[in-house]
Amino acid sequence: MGNCRSNLHCTSNYPAEPHELNLSAIKTLSERYKAKVGYSDHSLGCDAAIGSVTLGASLIEKHITLSKNLPGPDHVAHELVGVGHGGLVEEAGEVD
């Protein structure tokens, strides 16, 4: 089956502010571990996820929620189910 391992770069704040993302860590992880690298995106919108692809991310993990009104800080940063993810896939494919 080969090497199926990937390392994901992540900033654990919800939502993560742009100055906290440190997307350059994607290249560092790739060079250091010689493995596929992805990005676990906790920022608002899709810009950081799309940018991560230009830095070498081959996997994007983005949380979704049924309602931004659910309890817990993670629901605030997540996209609503069915909103925006088609564009993320399409745009990430364009920069790859």
Side-chain angles (χ1 to χ4, degrees):
M1 198 158 195
N3 185 358
C4 297
R5 181 181 58 116
S6 293
N7 296 309
L8 270 65
H9 169 61
C10 178
T11 302
S12 61
N13 291 346
Y14 291 103
E17 296 294 328
H19 68 275
E20 299 173 315
L21 301 179
N22 189 22
L23 292 179
S24 63
I26 293 167
K27 284 190 170 195
T28 302
L29 288 169
S30 178
E31 292 167 1
R32 180 173 294 159
Y33 298 108
K34 308 294 185 224
K36 290 184 178 182
V37 176
Y39 179 55
S40 176
D41 188 12
H42 295 169
S43 68
L44 297 174
C46 295
D47 292 345
I50 293 165
S52 73
V53 173
T54 67
L55 295 169
S58 59
L59 171 72
I60 297 171
E61 181 255 353
K62 184 94 172 155
H63 294 211
I64 60 174
T65 185
L66 297 174
S67 171
K68 292 185 181 240
N69 297 319
L70 288 171
D74 51 332
H75 293 285
V76 173
H78 300 152
E79 303 296 328
L80 295 175
V81 172
V83 177
H85 287 86
L88 170 61
V89 172
E90 185 176 291
E91 290 183 43
E94 289 178 11
V95 299
D96 182 28

